[in-house]
Amino acid sequence: MTIKDRVYNSLLALMPLILFFPQYISNRLMGWLDLPFYFLPFRMLTSDYIRQGVMPFWNPYIYCGNPLLANMQSAVFYPFNIFYHVLPAAAAVRITTYIAFAVMALFTYAFMRQYKVSEEGSFVSAVIFAFGFYSMIKAVEFAEINVMAWMPAALYFTKKFADSARSADFFMIPMMLALSLLGGHAQLFIYVWMLFAAFFIYENIWLKEGSRLDGIRDFFVINLILLALTVIQLLPTARFVLLSKRVVGGLGYGSVMGGFLNLDHIVTFVFPFLGGLFSAQSNFLNWFGLVNTGVFAILMLILGAFMIKDSKLRIFLMAVFTLFLFMTFTGWLPFYRELFDKLPFLASLRYQSKAVLGVFFIMCLIFAKGFDELFSRTREELEPFTYFSVGSFIVMLFTYIFAWLYKNNILIFYKKFFEPGMSMQRIYDAVDAYDTVLSGFLLYLLVFASAVFIIYMAGSGLRRGNGMKTAAVAVALTSLFAFQDWAQFQYVKADFMEKKTVQTDFLYNKSSIGSFRILAPALFNHFGLNVNAMNEDELVYYCNDTLAPNIPMYHRIKNVDGFDPLFLGDFAAFKSCFNVTRAPWSMPAFSLFSAKYISSMAKLSGAGLRLASHGFTDIYENANRLEPAFMVKSPFEAVTAGRDKAKELIASKTFDPEKTVILDKPDAALAGSLKAGDKSVKIYGEIRVVFDMPDPNTYVIKTVSPVSGVLVLTDNYYPGWQAYVDGVETKIMKVDLTFKGVFL
């Protein structure tokens, strides 16, 4: 390791502390989007389970019960989540954020060095990959950043094993891949695995003509070890996915199409100052899909794509780059709709733009190699590229001059042909947007000019020493960070999850909610709402008081709804039954939610509703509810119906859940009891049901009933649950489309 290696590694190790400095010098965290509404509540819930000595199998606090361990994004088995079990949540966030970004940056640097890239080229490519907007914005996406973090390490040991054939390097490959998989995002890990497979095949099979069979064997052994290390997560996850809405109902063509990259993202990649002109949906997708590298890196990418000396490496990199790029845009190809209709699994995939991870990493390697070509090729070899760079700058300069001189003409043309009915306010807004674009364009030109100057000096052979390389590093970093969308990195006080509000105080201290649920609004990204008059602390209060998704989890209040990419398909089907009316609380089947309270931003009215508490949302007490556990006593009707027929029955105004039980398949014991019960069906007496939940995986229900019947637990049916009656195991039936039932 050279002195430069030590210096650059030290800088990379410090950069997470520098770029996320508000988290490390104050009592604040990056508290927006999925961090407060999804990842942190799940981490804290899992940690509570483990501290109590309870395995985190089930989450009773969202969607009327949902798998927890089987949900991969809960990352129950990710080793570094141990910090959540032994430290306060805020401290755990800081530590795991640092680990993820430091590991990602340091191993990216080490990987580049394995490919004989210079210290400067390796450093810049590591910074671009680990600290560009694409990666940094995922600091709030715990699952994604933990999957990404270990990918460079897996690739590093793949290359190292190819060069050394050491057993230690071989076994480190599945170890790093296992850490990536357990990080918690299945779809993103598929792209990580594909990139690993491409590099392994290239390095250990394609390039080794004399030992290709050994390489094939090693590839399968690595994957077998990976499977052995992660099967504890993969098996329950596979079952959950097969029972989830993604597979049972699908996401729908429109939803899936919204997850592909499009022309907007190519434009903003090359011209980042134009990003503000595109739609909110496009900007939202940029959190997942936008790759920003800076104009200097783009120029080096072009140079590397044409001038990497190793032709086999160049062909390999361009082939993998093209494959991943194709995946991110596949949805816009003419034949994709036909594929979507013929291949059901496509309906379960969202945000296929996440495949841009492979594009991004390959770009960083090509850029790094291009950086070195700039400082090693002869003047004659670099002359075409130098002319191209200078020419591109001149074109951009004249474009800026034209846009500045003919501003009024361009705006008039736009109004005449695109928005002839523009209001005065819309005209003012267009002028402001145009001026903002011009300001960004000017900054872009200044950075472009600096990049072209470096290229000219190095390409002409005038200056190629350490000083010029250091200047190139500075220009590359300036080019990267000049258009970083720093406004997206919002920090809030670390105790935001404990913020008491009017509504959380009502539910926690002033209501008698007990084991009942609340139906809270299924909204997310409240920091993006049009409430600009509020400061950050007021926004946190607002989000908590509106009981945004999973906020009730912080207070261990059960919610009918929630926010989770995976939930059960049968529950989704049950919920869809209430789309037939604007007042679902008036439908008989609504009582099965066991929702004592309904939270709503809109004013609600109807029989059985009473305003209980007023806040940013109003909370209404709902009289149309059943106990979380109740008896459907004889005489009752048992109906066997498929999903569609069951939905019709549940949506009907005549359905009475206390007199009718809907089964997905016939039950012999229940049928026999109904047939033989003619003499006893009219015997009525007091029925008592006492409900208790000693831990989230256990329901204890004591019943006293003089007649037979079905005990219904308004908790989602899921394989793996066991029921015991007087110590004897009994069968759990799926009743009323999605709930648990036991015949007594």
Side-chain angles (χ1 to χ4, degrees):
M1 182 179 287
T2 67
I3 294 176
K4 284 185 181 180
D5 283 326
R6 294 189 180 93
V7 170
Y8 285 132
N9 277 308
S10 299
L11 289 173
L12 291 171
L14 285 172
M15 286 192 76
L17 303 178
I18 296 170
L19 294 177
F20 295 105
F21 72 95
Q23 287 195 160
Y24 298 103
I25 64 170
S26 68
N27 185 35
R28 290 184 174 267
L29 297 175
M30 276 188 68
W32 68 287
L33 198 67
D34 284 359
L35 188 146
F37 300 141
Y38 184 56
F39 289 108
L40 204 53
F42 278 73
R43 296 295 186 275
M44 294 173 70
L45 180 65
T46 300
S47 297
D48 281 355
Y49 278 47
I50 291 173
R51 289 192 195 104
Q52 297 170 28
V54 176
M55 197 65 179
F57 289 120
W58 194 247
N59 179 4
Y61 300 106
I62 61 172
Y63 296 136
C64 293
N66 210 47
L68 180 59
L69 182 149
N71 185 344
M72 203 163 178
Q73 293 204 57
S74 301
V76 171
F77 298 108
Y78 182 60
F80 291 95
N81 281 345
I82 191 173
F83 292 108
Y84 290 92
H85 311 332
V86 298
L87 294 173
V93 170
R94 294 184 179 101
I95 292 171
T96 54
T97 298
Y98 175 81
I99 290 172
F101 281 91
V103 164
M104 185 160 53
L106 291 170
F107 273 106
T108 300
Y109 180 90
F111 175 77
M112 299 298 169
R113 293 291 285 153
Q114 284 290 108
Y115 275 92
K116 312 302 180 186
V117 176
S118 67
E119 295 93 334
E120 291 82 6
S122 298
F123 174 71
V124 176
S125 63
V127 171
I128 290 174
F129 183 71
F131 302 112
F133 181 76
Y134 173 79
S135 299
M136 280 190 67
I137 205 65
K138 295 183 187 296
V140 296
E141 303 283 339
F142 290 172
E144 289 195 42
I145 198 61
N146 288 334
V147 169
M148 287 174 57
W150 300 100
M151 182 187 77
L155 298 180
Y156 166 76
F157 286 109
T158 296
K159 173 62 174 171
K160 196 174 180 186
F161 172 69
D163 295 339
S164 69
R166 293 175 60 234
S167 298
D169 296 326
F170 176 83
F171 286 107
M172 287 301 292
I173 298 172
M175 290 291 291
M176 297 301 102
L177 289 172
L179 286 171
S180 178
L181 187 150
L182 296 174
H185 199 288
Q187 183 180 352
L188 194 64
F189 177 75
I190 290 172
Y191 304 133
V192 169
W193 183 89
M194 289 175 64
L195 198 59
F196 147 73
F199 272 97
F200 190 93
I201 292 169
Y202 171 72
E203 290 287 350
N204 294 281
I205 300 176
W206 187 30
L207 294 183
K208 297 188 176 180
E209 297 181 8
S211 56
R212 285 177 176 169
L213 289 178
D214 292 339
I216 294 172
R217 177 205 60 201
D218 292 340
F219 181 74
F220 280 102
V221 170
I222 286 171
N223 283 286
L224 285 174
I225 296 173
L226 171 63
L227 183 63
L229 291 172
T230 59
V231 67
I232 193 172
Q233 179 68 75
L234 288 175
L235 287 181
T237 296
R239 180 166 65 176
F240 183 21
V241 169
L242 291 174
L243 295 172
S244 72
K245 181 184 183 299
R246 286 176 178 254
V247 173
V248 173
L251 296 172
Y253 182 72
S255 178
V256 169
M257 283 299 296
F260 286 99
L261 297 190
N262 53 51
L263 182 62
D264 295 4
H265 305 103
I266 295 178
V267 172
T268 53
F269 169 65
V270 181
F271 308 113
F273 58 90
L274 295 176
L277 299 181
F278 298 113
S279 67
Q281 172 60 25
S282 178
N283 291 332
F284 174 76
L285 187 60
N286 279 349
W287 295 337
F288 304 99
L290 179 65
V291 172
N292 64 315
T293 62
V295 65
F296 183 76
I298 292 174
L299 292 170
M300 294 301 99
L301 176 68
I302 295 170
L303 178 62
F306 288 97
M307 300 196 72
I308 294 177
K309 293 185 180 71
D310 186 339
S311 60
K312 287 185 178 180
L313 177 62
R314 185 173 70 250
I315 293 170
F316 164 72
L317 293 178
M318 294 309 299
V320 176
F321 174 88
T322 303
L323 170 64
F324 277 96
L325 190 64
F326 174 80
M327 293 169 62
T328 64
F329 289 96
T330 307
W332 301 106
L333 298 176
F335 57 79
Y336 185 76
R337 183 57 196 254
E338 293 183 17
L339 283 178
F340 184 87
D341 293 336
K342 292 179 180 179
L343 302 176
F345 80 91
L346 292 176
S348 66
L349 297 176
R350 195 178 182 195
Y351 294 127
Q352 293 191 45
S353 59
K354 293 180 191 293
V356 80
L357 173 65
V359 178
F360 190 18
F361 193 81
I362 294 296
M363 286 173 60
C364 288
L365 179 51
I366 297 174
F367 154 77
K369 299 295 283 187
F371 184 98
D372 285 357
E373 298 297 339
L374 178 65
F375 289 94
S376 63
R377 291 279 190 163
T378 65
R379 175 179 178 179
E380 289 74 19
E381 290 174 316
L382 290 171
E383 192 172 54
F385 176 71
T386 304
Y387 286 145
F388 167 79
S389 302
V390 174
S392 299
F393 173 74
I394 292 172
V395 170
M396 294 302 297
L397 178 61
F398 277 103
T399 303
Y400 172 80
I401 294 172
F402 176 84
W404 178 64
L405 289 176
Y406 294 97
K407 168 184 171 181
N408 293 336
N409 304 73
I410 293 171
L411 288 171
I412 291 170
F413 176 86
Y414 175 81
K415 180 182 184 302
K416 180 178 180 180
F417 290 97
F418 295 99
E419 288 193 58
M422 289 176 73
S423 65
M424 288 303 297
Q425 183 59 51
R426 184 71 187 87
I427 292 173
Y428 292 144
D429 292 342
V431 171
D432 288 342
Y434 194 93
D435 289 339
T436 300
V437 169
L438 281 180
S439 298
F441 199 167
L442 181 59
L443 176 60
Y444 181 81
L445 281 174
L446 293 174
V447 176
F448 203 154
S450 301
V452 170
F453 174 76
I454 294 292
I455 290 169
Y456 175 78
M457 295 297 288
S460 62
L462 298 176
R463 295 288 297 274
R464 288 190 169 183
N466 288 334
M468 185 53 65
K469 288 183 179 180
T470 303
V473 170
V475 170
L477 297 187
T478 302
S479 176
L480 172 69
F481 291 126
F483 292 95
Q484 193 96 303
D485 192 358
W486 298 105
Q488 298 292 347
F489 301 97
Q490 300 183 40
Y491 293 86
V492 296
K493 289 182 179 177
D495 62 351
F496 64 85
M497 74 289 289
E498 301 167 2
K499 181 72 70 174
K500 288 291 190 296
T501 71
V502 169
Q503 301 299 41
T504 56
D505 182 61
F506 167 77
L507 290 171
Y508 196 69
N509 296 315
K510 299 175 183 176
S511 74
S512 55
I513 191 167
S515 296
F516 285 101
R517 298 186 181 94
I518 183 171
L519 173 55
L523 300 174
F524 61 95
N525 195 21
H526 280 268
F527 287 107
L529 291 180
N530 188 21
V531 283
N532 296 326
M534 298 182 181
N535 59 37
E536 287 179 350
D537 291 333
E538 290 171 329
L539 278 171
V540 168
Y541 184 96
Y542 174 82
C543 291
N544 285 352
D545 206 55
T546 54
L547 298 170
N550 302 339
I551 289 293
M553 281 179 62
Y554 288 125
H555 307 283
R556 299 300 182 260
I557 295 169
K558 298 177 183 177
N559 188 6
V560 171
D561 220 307
F563 176 41
D564 197 316
L566 278 180
F567 59 99
L568 293 169
D570 289 329
F571 180 70
F574 181 80
K575 278 181 58 181
S576 71
C577 297
F578 301 92
N579 294 336
V580 297
T581 176
R582 291 179 177 270
W585 48 86
S586 65
M587 296 172 60
F590 187 84
S591 60
L592 285 166
F593 283 124
S594 300
K596 185 172 184 178
Y597 297 104
I598 300 173
S599 174
S600 175
M601 293 182 181
K603 301 298 180 184
L604 303 184
S605 62
L609 289 185
R610 179 185 68 84
L611 181 63
S613 180
H614 179 69
F616 282 109
T617 56
D618 290 331
I619 292 181
Y620 297 82
E621 185 172 352
N622 167 48
N624 182 20
R625 64 181 188 267
L626 288 168
E627 294 286 335
F630 67 94
M631 281 283 291
V632 181
K633 61 183 183 297
S634 296
F636 65 89
E637 181 182 13
V639 179
T640 302
R643 181 177 284 109
D644 292 339
K645 181 62 177 177
K647 288 171 64 176
E648 285 183 25
L649 292 170
I650 289 169
S652 70
K653 295 181 180 179
T654 58
F655 174 69
D656 186 346
E658 292 187 279
K659 294 182 178 179
T660 301
V661 175
I662 303 173
L663 306 176
D664 65 330
K665 52 188 176 183
D667 183 87
L670 181 58
S673 172
L674 291 174
K675 190 173 182 179
D678 296 336
K679 296 180 180 179
S680 62
V681 292
K682 295 183 180 180
I683 299 175
Y684 293 94
E686 182 182 4
I687 294 178
R688 295 197 305 273
V689 178
V690 180
F691 177 88
D692 187 26
M693 193 174 179
D695 67 66
N697 298 330
T698 307
Y699 296 97
V700 176
I701 304 167
K702 298 179 181 178
T703 64
V704 175
S705 175
V707 295
S708 61
V710 175
L711 175 67
V712 176
L713 177 63
T714 61
D715 188 81
N716 281 320
Y717 177 88
Y718 191 75
W721 280 90
Q722 296 174 303
Y724 296 86
V725 178
D726 297 331
V728 179
E729 186 172 0
T730 190
K731 177 184 176 182
I732 300 176
M733 302 178 291
K734 185 194 294 183
V735 301
D736 299 338
L737 196 58
T738 190
F739 299 114
K740 299 180 178 78
V742 172
F743 173 64
L744 298 176

